[in-house]
Amino acid sequence: MATPSTSHNPALGASAPKRYHPVAVLLHWLLGLALVTMFVVGIYMTDLPFSPERLKLYNWHKWAGVSILLLSAARLAWRLWHRPPALPVAIVQRMPAWQAAAHHLTHGALYVLFFAVPLLGMAYSAAAGFPIVLFGVLPLPSLLAVDKELAELIKPLHAGAAWALAALVVLHVAAALKHHWVDRDGLLLRMMPGRG
Ligand code: HEM
Ligand code: HEM
C-alpha cells in the first residue's frame, strides 16, 4: 500500500509510518553489503597480475554489478510507490536547515550513483569489447560498439563514480551514527529490522 508523504507535517505526525517498510529495510542492508563487497573486489581485482583468478573476479564483478543494477531498479520502484516515513517533527525542529538539505541531497545522490556506477561499468565493458555473461551462463547484449579509445575515457569515470559512492556512504554512515550516539534521537531504528 502506498503511504502518503507527511513530510514535516505535524498534523499528520501521529498517523504517519514511523519506520521504513520491511522491504525497504531488507533492500537497504542487502544492497549496502553488496555495494561494499563490489567496491572492495573492484579495487582488489584491478591490482592482481594477469591470472585465471583475475579473470574470474572480473567476470564475477560484472555479473554481480548487473544484478545490483536490477535490484536498485526494484528498490527505486518500491520507493516511488511506498513513500519513506517523514523525518520526525522533533528531529526536523532541531536540525539546522543545511542538515535537512544534506539529508535529502545525500539520499538523492546515492540513488543517482546506484545507477551511474554499474551503467558506466557496463559501458566500459562494452566499449572495451569484453562481453558480460550473467551468472556465467547468459551473455548480455552490448550497450556500445567496441571502441578502445572510448573505453579508456569511460574507465576512469566508472572508478571515479565508485569512489564518489564510497565517499557518500562514509558520510551517510557517519551521520547515522551521530544521530544514534550523539543526538540519541532514534533515527537509526527507523532502518533497523524489527516490529512496531
Ligand atoms: C553501502 C552502504 C549503504 C548505502 C548505499 C546506504 C544507502 C541509503 C539510502 C539510499 C537511504 C535512503 C533510503 C530511502 O529513502 O529510500 C538510506 C537510509 C538510511 N541508512 Fe543507509 N546506506 C548504507 C549503509 C548504512 C549504514 C551502515 C547505516 C547505519 C550505520 C545506515 C543507516 C541508515 C539510516 C538510519 C537510514 C534512514 C534515515 C532516515 O531515517 O531518514 N546506512 N541509506
Ligand atoms: C554495482 C556497483 C559497482 C561498483 C561499486 C564497482 C566498483 C568498482 C571499483 C571500485 C573498481 C576499481 C576501479 C579502479 O580503482 O580502477 C571497478 C573496476 C571495474 N569494474 Fe566495477 N563496479 C560496479 C559495477 C560494475 C559493472 C556492472 C561492471 C560491468 C558490467 C563493472 C566493470 C568493471 C571493470 C571491467 C573494472 C576494471 C577496470 C580496470 O580494468 O581498471 N563494474 N569497479
Side-chain angles (χ1 to χ4, degrees), residues 50-98:
F50 283 97
S51 60
E53 190 200 357
R54 178 178 155 115
L55 193 64
K56 202 171 83 184
L57 279 180
Y58 265 61
N59 281 321
W60 183 90
H61 180 88
K62 291 195 294 184
W63 67 248
V66 174
S67 310
I68 288 176
L69 176 66
L70 297 176
L71 267 177
S72 297
R75 179 185 196 170
L76 179 63
W78 179 272
R79 191 194 198 279
L80 292 175
W81 203 354
H82 300 76
R83 292 286 193 86
L87 280 174
V89 178
I91 295 182
V92 174
Q93 280 169 349
R94 256 194 331 213
M95 256 186 187
W98 71 263

mmCIF file of all heavy atoms in Angstrom, residues 50-98:
data_model
loop_
_atom_site.group_PDB
_atom_site.id
_atom_site.type_symbol
_atom_site.label_atom_id
_atom_site.label_comp_id
_atom_site.label_asym_id
_atom_site.label_seq_id
_atom_site.Cartn_x
_atom_site.Cartn_y
_atom_site.Cartn_z
ATOM 1 N N PHE A 50 47.873 -10.562 -14.295
ATOM 2 C CA PHE A 50 47.020 -11.363 -15.175
ATOM 3 C C PHE A 50 47.074 -12.818 -14.751
ATOM 4 O O PHE A 50 48.156 -13.382 -14.589
ATOM 5 C CB PHE A 50 47.449 -11.196 -16.635
ATOM 6 C CG PHE A 50 46.964 -9.896 -17.184
ATOM 7 C CD1 PHE A 50 47.795 -8.781 -17.225
ATOM 8 C CD2 PHE A 50 45.638 -9.749 -17.597
ATOM 9 C CE1 PHE A 50 47.326 -7.561 -17.679
ATOM 10 C CE2 PHE A 50 45.162 -8.528 -18.045
ATOM 11 C CZ PHE A 50 46.008 -7.437 -18.093
ATOM 12 N N SER A 51 45.919 -13.419 -14.518
ATOM 13 C CA SER A 51 45.853 -14.788 -13.989
ATOM 14 C C SER A 51 44.412 -15.255 -14.125
ATOM 15 O O SER A 51 43.501 -14.440 -14.296
ATOM 16 C CB SER A 51 46.234 -14.787 -12.503
ATOM 17 O OG SER A 51 45.322 -13.952 -11.781
ATOM 18 N N PRO A 52 44.173 -16.584 -14.022
ATOM 19 C CA PRO A 52 42.782 -17.064 -14.069
ATOM 20 C C PRO A 52 41.952 -16.458 -12.932
ATOM 21 O O PRO A 52 40.773 -16.180 -13.089
ATOM 22 C CB PRO A 52 42.933 -18.582 -13.888
ATOM 23 C CG PRO A 52 44.336 -18.893 -14.284
ATOM 24 C CD PRO A 52 45.157 -17.676 -13.980
ATOM 25 N N GLU A 53 42.587 -16.208 -11.762
ATOM 26 C CA GLU A 53 41.830 -15.632 -10.638
ATOM 27 C C GLU A 53 41.321 -14.228 -10.986
ATOM 28 O O GLU A 53 40.188 -13.865 -10.714
ATOM 29 C CB GLU A 53 42.716 -15.566 -9.382
ATOM 30 C CG GLU A 53 41.890 -15.213 -8.145
ATOM 31 C CD GLU A 53 42.703 -14.661 -6.977
ATOM 32 O OE1 GLU A 53 43.943 -14.589 -7.078
ATOM 33 O OE2 GLU A 53 42.058 -14.272 -5.977
ATOM 34 N N ARG A 54 42.207 -13.447 -11.626
ATOM 35 C CA ARG A 54 41.818 -12.086 -12.017
ATOM 36 C C ARG A 54 40.636 -12.137 -12.992
ATOM 37 O O ARG A 54 39.647 -11.421 -12.841
ATOM 38 C CB ARG A 54 43.019 -11.384 -12.653
ATOM 39 C CG ARG A 54 42.700 -9.966 -13.144
ATOM 40 C CD ARG A 54 43.957 -9.321 -13.717
ATOM 41 N NE ARG A 54 43.603 -8.283 -14.672
ATOM 42 C CZ ARG A 54 43.866 -7.005 -14.507
ATOM 43 N NH1 ARG A 54 44.475 -6.578 -13.434
ATOM 44 N NH2 ARG A 54 43.518 -6.149 -15.425
ATOM 45 N N LEU A 55 40.749 -13.039 -13.975
ATOM 46 C CA LEU A 55 39.687 -13.159 -14.982
ATOM 47 C C LEU A 55 38.360 -13.555 -14.320
ATOM 48 O O LEU A 55 37.294 -13.006 -14.609
ATOM 49 C CB LEU A 55 40.106 -14.223 -16.003
ATOM 50 C CG LEU A 55 39.289 -14.266 -17.277
ATOM 51 C CD1 LEU A 55 39.460 -12.980 -18.059
ATOM 52 C CD2 LEU A 55 39.723 -15.470 -18.129
ATOM 53 N N LYS A 56 38.459 -14.508 -13.367
ATOM 54 C CA LYS A 56 37.261 -14.986 -12.668
ATOM 55 C C LYS A 56 36.618 -13.840 -11.877
ATOM 56 O O LYS A 56 35.402 -13.636 -11.922
ATOM 57 C CB LYS A 56 37.654 -16.124 -11.714
ATOM 58 C CG LYS A 56 36.498 -17.037 -11.349
ATOM 59 C CD LYS A 56 36.967 -18.259 -10.585
ATOM 60 C CE LYS A 56 37.119 -17.891 -9.109
ATOM 61 N NZ LYS A 56 37.661 -18.952 -8.290
ATOM 62 N N LEU A 57 37.458 -13.063 -11.181
ATOM 63 C CA LEU A 57 36.915 -11.962 -10.370
ATOM 64 C C LEU A 57 36.292 -10.873 -11.249
ATOM 65 O O LEU A 57 35.268 -10.281 -10.895
ATOM 66 C CB LEU A 57 38.010 -11.357 -9.493
ATOM 67 C CG LEU A 57 38.313 -12.124 -8.211
ATOM 68 C CD1 LEU A 57 39.416 -11.432 -7.420
ATOM 69 C CD2 LEU A 57 37.065 -12.251 -7.340
ATOM 70 N N TYR A 58 36.931 -10.590 -12.418
ATOM 71 C CA TYR A 58 36.367 -9.590 -13.328
ATOM 72 C C TYR A 58 34.965 -10.034 -13.764
ATOM 73 O O TYR A 58 34.030 -9.239 -13.774
ATOM 74 C CB TYR A 58 37.260 -9.402 -14.559
ATOM 75 C CG TYR A 58 38.231 -8.249 -14.435
ATOM 76 C CD1 TYR A 58 39.191 -8.239 -13.424
ATOM 77 C CD2 TYR A 58 38.191 -7.174 -15.315
ATOM 78 C CE1 TYR A 58 40.087 -7.182 -13.301
ATOM 79 C CE2 TYR A 58 39.081 -6.110 -15.189
ATOM 80 C CZ TYR A 58 40.026 -6.123 -14.187
ATOM 81 O OH TYR A 58 40.894 -5.074 -14.060
ATOM 82 N N ASN A 59 34.847 -11.314 -14.146
ATOM 83 C CA ASN A 59 33.539 -11.814 -14.599
ATOM 84 C C ASN A 59 32.519 -11.748 -13.477
ATOM 85 O O ASN A 59 31.392 -11.319 -13.657
ATOM 86 C CB ASN A 59 33.672 -13.244 -15.124
ATOM 87 C CG ASN A 59 34.226 -13.232 -16.530
ATOM 88 O OD1 ASN A 59 33.867 -12.370 -17.333
ATOM 89 N ND2 ASN A 59 35.125 -14.144 -16.826
ATOM 90 N N TRP A 60 32.950 -12.141 -12.291
ATOM 91 C CA TRP A 60 32.071 -12.121 -11.123
ATOM 92 C C TRP A 60 31.614 -10.685 -10.835
ATOM 93 O O TRP A 60 30.435 -10.422 -10.607
ATOM 94 C CB TRP A 60 32.843 -12.710 -9.938
ATOM 95 C CG TRP A 60 32.024 -12.812 -8.703
ATOM 96 C CD1 TRP A 60 31.260 -13.862 -8.332
ATOM 97 C CD2 TRP A 60 31.877 -11.804 -7.691
ATOM 98 N NE1 TRP A 60 30.636 -13.563 -7.136
ATOM 99 C CE2 TRP A 60 30.990 -12.324 -6.719
ATOM 100 C CE3 TRP A 60 32.402 -10.524 -7.506
ATOM 101 C CZ2 TRP A 60 30.626 -11.605 -5.594
ATOM 102 C CZ3 TRP A 60 32.024 -9.805 -6.381
ATOM 103 C CH2 TRP A 60 31.149 -10.341 -5.444
ATOM 104 N N HIS A 61 32.574 -9.752 -10.865
ATOM 105 C CA HIS A 61 32.288 -8.336 -10.601
ATOM 106 C C HIS A 61 31.248 -7.824 -11.599
ATOM 107 O O HIS A 61 30.328 -7.083 -11.233
ATOM 108 C CB HIS A 61 33.603 -7.556 -10.719
ATOM 109 C CG HIS A 61 33.490 -6.086 -10.474
ATOM 110 N ND1 HIS A 61 33.602 -5.519 -9.232
ATOM 111 C CD2 HIS A 61 33.276 -5.042 -11.317
ATOM 112 C CE1 HIS A 61 33.463 -4.214 -9.314
ATOM 113 N NE2 HIS A 61 33.270 -3.889 -10.575
ATOM 114 N N LYS A 62 31.378 -8.237 -12.849
ATOM 115 C CA LYS A 62 30.477 -7.710 -13.884
ATOM 116 C C LYS A 62 29.064 -8.250 -13.721
ATOM 117 O O LYS A 62 28.102 -7.484 -13.736
ATOM 118 C CB LYS A 62 31.042 -8.031 -15.278
ATOM 119 C CG LYS A 62 32.313 -7.214 -15.546
ATOM 120 C CD LYS A 62 32.712 -7.218 -17.001
ATOM 121 C CE LYS A 62 33.135 -8.556 -17.495
ATOM 122 N NZ LYS A 62 33.605 -8.510 -18.888
ATOM 123 N N TRP A 63 28.915 -9.577 -13.541
ATOM 124 C CA TRP A 63 27.529 -10.049 -13.438
ATOM 125 C C TRP A 63 26.895 -9.691 -12.100
ATOM 126 O O TRP A 63 25.696 -9.422 -12.022
ATOM 127 C CB TRP A 63 27.348 -11.499 -13.864
ATOM 128 C CG TRP A 63 27.941 -12.626 -13.066
ATOM 129 C CD1 TRP A 63 28.955 -13.449 -13.461
ATOM 130 C CD2 TRP A 63 27.530 -13.110 -11.782
ATOM 131 N NE1 TRP A 63 29.206 -14.398 -12.492
ATOM 132 C CE2 TRP A 63 28.343 -14.212 -11.448
ATOM 133 C CE3 TRP A 63 26.559 -12.709 -10.865
ATOM 134 C CZ2 TRP A 63 28.229 -14.921 -10.256
ATOM 135 C CZ3 TRP A 63 26.436 -13.421 -9.676
ATOM 136 C CH2 TRP A 63 27.261 -14.509 -9.387
ATOM 137 N N ALA A 64 27.719 -9.634 -11.046
ATOM 138 C CA ALA A 64 27.161 -9.196 -9.752
ATOM 139 C C ALA A 64 26.726 -7.725 -9.867
ATOM 140 O O ALA A 64 25.687 -7.330 -9.327
ATOM 141 C CB ALA A 64 28.196 -9.365 -8.648
ATOM 142 N N GLY A 65 27.516 -6.916 -10.598
ATOM 143 C CA GLY A 65 27.179 -5.491 -10.769
ATOM 144 C C GLY A 65 25.873 -5.303 -11.529
ATOM 145 O O GLY A 65 25.059 -4.440 -11.189
ATOM 146 N N VAL A 66 25.663 -6.142 -12.554
ATOM 147 C CA VAL A 66 24.406 -6.053 -13.314
ATOM 148 C C VAL A 66 23.232 -6.461 -12.411
ATOM 149 O O VAL A 66 22.161 -5.837 -12.433
ATOM 150 C CB VAL A 66 24.465 -6.939 -14.580
ATOM 151 C CG1 VAL A 66 23.126 -6.960 -15.276
ATOM 152 C CG2 VAL A 66 25.544 -6.430 -15.531
ATOM 153 N N SER A 67 23.447 -7.482 -11.573
ATOM 154 C CA SER A 67 22.384 -7.898 -10.643
ATOM 155 C C SER A 67 22.059 -6.762 -9.672
ATOM 156 O O SER A 67 20.889 -6.514 -9.345
ATOM 157 C CB SER A 67 22.803 -9.129 -9.838
ATOM 158 O OG SER A 67 23.301 -10.120 -10.692
ATOM 159 N N ILE A 68 23.097 -6.048 -9.215
ATOM 160 C CA ILE A 68 22.880 -4.920 -8.297
ATOM 161 C C ILE A 68 22.086 -3.815 -9.000
ATOM 162 O O ILE A 68 21.192 -3.188 -8.416
ATOM 163 C CB ILE A 68 24.244 -4.392 -7.787
ATOM 164 C CG1 ILE A 68 24.839 -5.402 -6.808
ATOM 165 C CG2 ILE A 68 24.102 -3.025 -7.139
ATOM 166 C CD1 ILE A 68 26.210 -5.055 -6.300
ATOM 167 N N LEU A 69 22.401 -3.607 -10.280
ATOM 168 C CA LEU A 69 21.659 -2.589 -11.052
ATOM 169 C C LEU A 69 20.166 -2.947 -11.084
ATOM 170 O O LEU A 69 19.295 -2.095 -10.865
ATOM 171 C CB LEU A 69 22.237 -2.510 -12.465
ATOM 172 C CG LEU A 69 21.525 -1.571 -13.437
ATOM 173 C CD1 LEU A 69 21.674 -0.125 -12.983
ATOM 174 C CD2 LEU A 69 22.094 -1.723 -14.847
ATOM 175 N N LEU A 70 19.862 -4.224 -11.336
ATOM 176 C CA LEU A 70 18.456 -4.655 -11.403
ATOM 177 C C LEU A 70 17.783 -4.504 -10.033
ATOM 178 O O LEU A 70 16.643 -4.029 -9.935
ATOM 179 C CB LEU A 70 18.363 -6.114 -11.887
ATOM 180 C CG LEU A 70 18.884 -6.348 -13.312
ATOM 181 C CD1 LEU A 70 18.831 -7.825 -13.667
ATOM 182 C CD2 LEU A 70 18.085 -5.529 -14.322
ATOM 183 N N LEU A 71 18.512 -4.871 -8.974
ATOM 184 C CA LEU A 71 17.943 -4.729 -7.626
ATOM 185 C C LEU A 71 17.733 -3.252 -7.269
ATOM 186 O O LEU A 71 16.781 -2.900 -6.580
ATOM 187 C CB LEU A 71 18.877 -5.361 -6.594
ATOM 188 C CG LEU A 71 18.611 -6.813 -6.236
ATOM 189 C CD1 LEU A 71 19.658 -7.316 -5.261
ATOM 190 C CD2 LEU A 71 17.216 -6.976 -5.623
ATOM 191 N N SER A 72 18.638 -2.389 -7.741
ATOM 192 C CA SER A 72 18.493 -0.951 -7.476
ATOM 193 C C SER A 72 17.257 -0.405 -8.184
ATOM 194 O O SER A 72 16.566 0.478 -7.653
ATOM 195 C CB SER A 72 19.732 -0.177 -7.946
ATOM 196 O OG SER A 72 20.856 -0.602 -7.225
ATOM 197 N N ALA A 73 16.978 -0.926 -9.389
ATOM 198 C CA ALA A 73 15.771 -0.503 -10.111
ATOM 199 C C ALA A 73 14.533 -0.925 -9.318
ATOM 200 O O ALA A 73 13.577 -0.151 -9.165
ATOM 201 C CB ALA A 73 15.760 -1.096 -11.514
ATOM 202 N N ALA A 74 14.577 -2.154 -8.760
ATOM 203 C CA ALA A 74 13.448 -2.632 -7.942
ATOM 204 C C ALA A 74 13.309 -1.750 -6.703
ATOM 205 O O ALA A 74 12.206 -1.386 -6.288
ATOM 206 C CB ALA A 74 13.679 -4.089 -7.544
ATOM 207 N N ARG A 75 14.461 -1.370 -6.130
ATOM 208 C CA ARG A 75 14.430 -0.529 -4.933
ATOM 209 C C ARG A 75 13.815 0.844 -5.227
ATOM 210 O O ARG A 75 13.001 1.357 -4.462
ATOM 211 C CB ARG A 75 15.870 -0.356 -4.447
ATOM 212 C CG ARG A 75 15.990 0.515 -3.229
ATOM 213 C CD ARG A 75 17.446 0.745 -2.876
ATOM 214 N NE ARG A 75 17.546 1.250 -1.531
ATOM 215 C CZ ARG A 75 18.694 1.359 -0.880
ATOM 216 N NH1 ARG A 75 19.812 1.003 -1.430
ATOM 217 N NH2 ARG A 75 18.706 1.831 0.347
ATOM 218 N N LEU A 76 14.237 1.413 -6.365
ATOM 219 C CA LEU A 76 13.704 2.737 -6.732
ATOM 220 C C LEU A 76 12.195 2.651 -6.972
ATOM 221 O O LEU A 76 11.427 3.507 -6.511
ATOM 222 C CB LEU A 76 14.421 3.271 -7.976
ATOM 223 C CG LEU A 76 13.947 4.629 -8.472
ATOM 224 C CD1 LEU A 76 14.196 5.723 -7.420
ATOM 225 C CD2 LEU A 76 14.648 5.019 -9.786
ATOM 226 N N ALA A 77 11.779 1.586 -7.684
ATOM 227 C CA ALA A 77 10.347 1.419 -7.958
ATOM 228 C C ALA A 77 9.581 1.304 -6.634
ATOM 229 O O ALA A 77 8.536 1.937 -6.456
ATOM 230 C CB ALA A 77 10.122 0.176 -8.816
ATOM 231 N N TRP A 78 10.142 0.523 -5.722
ATOM 232 C CA TRP A 78 9.488 0.350 -4.410
ATOM 233 C C TRP A 78 9.363 1.689 -3.696
ATOM 234 O O TRP A 78 8.346 2.044 -3.109
ATOM 235 C CB TRP A 78 10.278 -0.644 -3.551
ATOM 236 C CG TRP A 78 9.645 -0.818 -2.205
ATOM 237 C CD1 TRP A 78 9.890 -0.068 -1.084
ATOM 238 C CD2 TRP A 78 8.613 -1.739 -1.849
ATOM 239 N NE1 TRP A 78 9.092 -0.478 -0.063
ATOM 240 C CE2 TRP A 78 8.291 -1.507 -0.496
ATOM 241 C CE3 TRP A 78 7.931 -2.748 -2.546
ATOM 242 C CZ2 TRP A 78 7.317 -2.240 0.176
ATOM 243 C CZ3 TRP A 78 6.967 -3.479 -1.867
ATOM 244 C CH2 TRP A 78 6.667 -3.224 -0.520
ATOM 245 N N ARG A 79 10.460 2.475 -3.745
ATOM 246 C CA ARG A 79 10.483 3.756 -3.023
ATOM 247 C C ARG A 79 9.481 4.750 -3.615
ATOM 248 O O ARG A 79 8.856 5.525 -2.908
ATOM 249 C CB ARG A 79 11.884 4.353 -3.080
ATOM 250 C CG ARG A 79 12.054 5.522 -2.133
ATOM 251 C CD ARG A 79 13.314 6.283 -2.453
ATOM 252 N NE ARG A 79 13.740 7.133 -1.365
ATOM 253 C CZ ARG A 79 13.225 8.317 -1.121
ATOM 254 N NH1 ARG A 79 12.239 8.791 -1.852
ATOM 255 N NH2 ARG A 79 13.686 9.053 -0.120
ATOM 256 N N LEU A 80 9.361 4.731 -4.965
ATOM 257 C CA LEU A 80 8.425 5.661 -5.599
ATOM 258 C C LEU A 80 6.988 5.291 -5.246
ATOM 259 O O LEU A 80 6.110 6.141 -5.161
ATOM 260 C CB LEU A 80 8.628 5.660 -7.117
ATOM 261 C CG LEU A 80 9.971 6.254 -7.574
ATOM 262 C CD1 LEU A 80 10.141 6.087 -9.080
ATOM 263 C CD2 LEU A 80 10.095 7.723 -7.181
ATOM 264 N N TRP A 81 6.783 4.019 -5.042
ATOM 265 C CA TRP A 81 5.439 3.517 -4.757
ATOM 266 C C TRP A 81 5.108 3.652 -3.266
ATOM 267 O O TRP A 81 3.996 3.956 -2.866
ATOM 268 C CB TRP A 81 5.360 2.045 -5.190
ATOM 269 C CG TRP A 81 3.993 1.554 -5.465
ATOM 270 C CD1 TRP A 81 2.815 2.222 -5.264
ATOM 271 C CD2 TRP A 81 3.647 0.275 -5.995
ATOM 272 N NE1 TRP A 81 1.770 1.426 -5.627
ATOM 273 C CE2 TRP A 81 2.250 0.227 -6.079
ATOM 274 C CE3 TRP A 81 4.390 -0.841 -6.406
ATOM 275 C CZ2 TRP A 81 1.571 -0.895 -6.554
ATOM 276 C CZ3 TRP A 81 3.708 -1.942 -6.868
ATOM 277 C CH2 TRP A 81 2.307 -1.959 -6.946
ATOM 278 N N HIS A 82 6.107 3.379 -2.426
ATOM 279 C CA HIS A 82 5.909 3.439 -0.974
ATOM 280 C C HIS A 82 6.779 4.554 -0.433
ATOM 281 O O HIS A 82 7.970 4.329 -0.203
ATOM 282 C CB HIS A 82 6.333 2.129 -0.301
ATOM 283 C CG HIS A 82 5.564 0.944 -0.778
ATOM 284 N ND1 HIS A 82 5.789 0.353 -1.985
ATOM 285 C CD2 HIS A 82 4.571 0.246 -0.207
ATOM 286 C CE1 HIS A 82 4.961 -0.662 -2.139
ATOM 287 N NE2 HIS A 82 4.209 -0.743 -1.075
ATOM 288 N N ARG A 83 6.188 5.717 -0.224
ATOM 289 C CA ARG A 83 6.985 6.850 0.261
ATOM 290 C C ARG A 83 7.616 6.516 1.608
ATOM 291 O O ARG A 83 6.974 5.904 2.460
ATOM 292 C CB ARG A 83 6.086 8.074 0.447
ATOM 293 C CG ARG A 83 5.539 8.642 -0.855
ATOM 294 C CD ARG A 83 6.647 9.387 -1.603
ATOM 295 N NE ARG A 83 6.060 10.184 -2.670
ATOM 296 C CZ ARG A 83 5.597 11.416 -2.481
ATOM 297 N NH1 ARG A 83 5.630 11.974 -1.287
ATOM 298 N NH2 ARG A 83 5.077 12.080 -3.488
ATOM 299 N N PRO A 84 8.895 6.939 1.815
ATOM 300 C CA PRO A 84 9.538 6.660 3.110
ATOM 301 C C PRO A 84 8.879 7.486 4.219
ATOM 302 O O PRO A 84 8.235 8.489 3.937
ATOM 303 C CB PRO A 84 10.976 7.091 2.890
ATOM 304 C CG PRO A 84 10.941 8.022 1.741
ATOM 305 C CD PRO A 84 9.754 7.662 0.898
ATOM 306 N N PRO A 85 9.048 7.073 5.479
ATOM 307 C CA PRO A 85 8.461 7.854 6.573
ATOM 308 C C PRO A 85 9.085 9.250 6.621
ATOM 309 O O PRO A 85 10.284 9.387 6.393
ATOM 310 C CB PRO A 85 8.836 7.033 7.814
ATOM 311 C CG PRO A 85 10.017 6.218 7.419
ATOM 312 C CD PRO A 85 9.863 5.942 5.952
ATOM 313 N N ALA A 86 8.262 10.258 6.909
ATOM 314 C CA ALA A 86 8.799 11.618 7.033
ATOM 315 C C ALA A 86 9.713 11.674 8.251
ATOM 316 O O ALA A 86 9.547 10.892 9.200
ATOM 317 C CB ALA A 86 7.649 12.593 7.205
ATOM 318 N N LEU A 87 10.679 12.583 8.220
ATOM 319 C CA LEU A 87 11.538 12.760 9.394
ATOM 320 C C LEU A 87 10.665 13.183 10.570
ATOM 321 O O LEU A 87 9.785 14.038 10.399
ATOM 322 C CB LEU A 87 12.573 13.853 9.114
ATOM 323 C CG LEU A 87 13.799 13.465 8.308
ATOM 324 C CD1 LEU A 87 14.638 14.696 8.013
ATOM 325 C CD2 LEU A 87 14.631 12.428 9.055
ATOM 326 N N PRO A 88 10.880 12.612 11.757
ATOM 327 C CA PRO A 88 10.071 13.019 12.908
ATOM 328 C C PRO A 88 10.177 14.530 13.149
ATOM 329 O O PRO A 88 11.249 15.119 13.011
ATOM 330 C CB PRO A 88 10.692 12.244 14.064
ATOM 331 C CG PRO A 88 11.402 11.099 13.428
ATOM 332 C CD PRO A 88 11.841 11.574 12.069
ATOM 333 N N VAL A 89 9.040 15.132 13.506
ATOM 334 C CA VAL A 89 8.985 16.590 13.684
ATOM 335 C C VAL A 89 10.027 17.055 14.707
ATOM 336 O O VAL A 89 10.700 18.071 14.496
ATOM 337 C CB VAL A 89 7.565 17.001 14.145
ATOM 338 C CG1 VAL A 89 7.500 18.494 14.392
ATOM 339 C CG2 VAL A 89 6.548 16.590 13.099
ATOM 340 N N ALA A 90 10.179 16.285 15.790
ATOM 341 C CA ALA A 90 11.124 16.699 16.835
ATOM 342 C C ALA A 90 12.542 16.806 16.262
ATOM 343 O O ALA A 90 13.301 17.707 16.619
ATOM 344 C CB ALA A 90 11.101 15.679 17.971
ATOM 345 N N ILE A 91 12.877 15.889 15.320
ATOM 346 C CA ILE A 91 14.225 15.923 14.719
ATOM 347 C C ILE A 91 14.333 17.110 13.762
ATOM 348 O O ILE A 91 15.315 17.852 13.774
ATOM 349 C CB ILE A 91 14.524 14.595 13.981
ATOM 350 C CG1 ILE A 91 14.572 13.446 14.987
ATOM 351 C CG2 ILE A 91 15.816 14.696 13.193
ATOM 352 C CD1 ILE A 91 14.913 12.102 14.370
ATOM 353 N N VAL A 92 13.287 17.306 12.966
ATOM 354 C CA VAL A 92 13.324 18.399 11.981
ATOM 355 C C VAL A 92 13.477 19.743 12.691
ATOM 356 O O VAL A 92 14.247 20.614 12.258
ATOM 357 C CB VAL A 92 12.027 18.405 11.133
ATOM 358 C CG1 VAL A 92 11.989 19.605 10.213
ATOM 359 C CG2 VAL A 92 11.935 17.117 10.323
ATOM 360 N N GLN A 93 12.767 19.904 13.814
ATOM 361 C CA GLN A 93 12.813 21.195 14.514
ATOM 362 C C GLN A 93 14.199 21.494 15.063
ATOM 363 O O GLN A 93 14.611 22.639 15.150
ATOM 364 C CB GLN A 93 11.781 21.196 15.643
ATOM 365 C CG GLN A 93 10.386 21.484 15.091
ATOM 366 C CD GLN A 93 9.286 21.242 16.118
ATOM 367 O OE1 GLN A 93 9.544 20.667 17.190
ATOM 368 N NE2 GLN A 93 8.076 21.642 15.794
ATOM 369 N N ARG A 94 14.935 20.439 15.414
ATOM 370 C CA ARG A 94 16.280 20.634 15.980
ATOM 371 C C ARG A 94 17.353 20.768 14.900
ATOM 372 O O ARG A 94 18.448 21.236 15.156
ATOM 373 C CB ARG A 94 16.629 19.437 16.870
ATOM 374 C CG ARG A 94 16.522 19.756 18.334
ATOM 375 C CD ARG A 94 17.186 18.698 19.139
ATOM 376 N NE ARG A 94 17.128 17.405 18.446
ATOM 377 C CZ ARG A 94 17.035 16.234 19.062
ATOM 378 N NH1 ARG A 94 16.999 16.189 20.351
ATOM 379 N NH2 ARG A 94 17.002 15.101 18.399
ATOM 380 N N MET A 95 17.025 20.300 13.689
ATOM 381 C CA MET A 95 18.033 20.271 12.614
ATOM 382 C C MET A 95 18.216 21.644 11.987
ATOM 383 O O MET A 95 17.237 22.261 11.592
ATOM 384 C CB MET A 95 17.530 19.355 11.492
ATOM 385 C CG MET A 95 18.157 18.025 11.417
ATOM 386 S SD MET A 95 17.519 17.224 9.905
ATOM 387 C CE MET A 95 18.223 15.620 10.119
ATOM 388 N N PRO A 96 19.467 22.116 11.847
ATOM 389 C CA PRO A 96 19.656 23.324 11.041
ATOM 390 C C PRO A 96 19.223 23.033 9.600
ATOM 391 O O PRO A 96 19.269 21.870 9.167
ATOM 392 C CB PRO A 96 21.160 23.583 11.103
ATOM 393 C CG PRO A 96 21.774 22.509 11.918
ATOM 394 C CD PRO A 96 20.708 21.543 12.355
ATOM 395 N N ALA A 97 18.826 24.090 8.870
ATOM 396 C CA ALA A 97 18.300 23.895 7.510
ATOM 397 C C ALA A 97 19.311 23.157 6.627
ATOM 398 O O ALA A 97 18.946 22.304 5.823
ATOM 399 C CB ALA A 97 17.939 25.236 6.905
ATOM 400 N N TRP A 98 20.618 23.464 6.796
ATOM 401 C CA TRP A 98 21.619 22.838 5.915
ATOM 402 C C TRP A 98 21.658 21.335 6.128
ATOM 403 O O TRP A 98 21.898 20.561 5.214
ATOM 404 C CB TRP A 98 23.008 23.477 6.119
ATOM 405 C CG TRP A 98 23.669 23.145 7.438
ATOM 406 C CD1 TRP A 98 23.657 23.916 8.557
ATOM 407 C CD2 TRP A 98 24.420 21.971 7.779
ATOM 408 N NE1 TRP A 98 24.336 23.304 9.577
ATOM 409 C CE2 TRP A 98 24.827 22.105 9.130
ATOM 410 C CE3 TRP A 98 24.799 20.820 7.096
ATOM 411 C CZ2 TRP A 98 25.579 21.141 9.802
ATOM 412 C CZ3 TRP A 98 25.555 19.856 7.759
ATOM 413 C CH2 TRP A 98 25.938 20.011 9.095
#
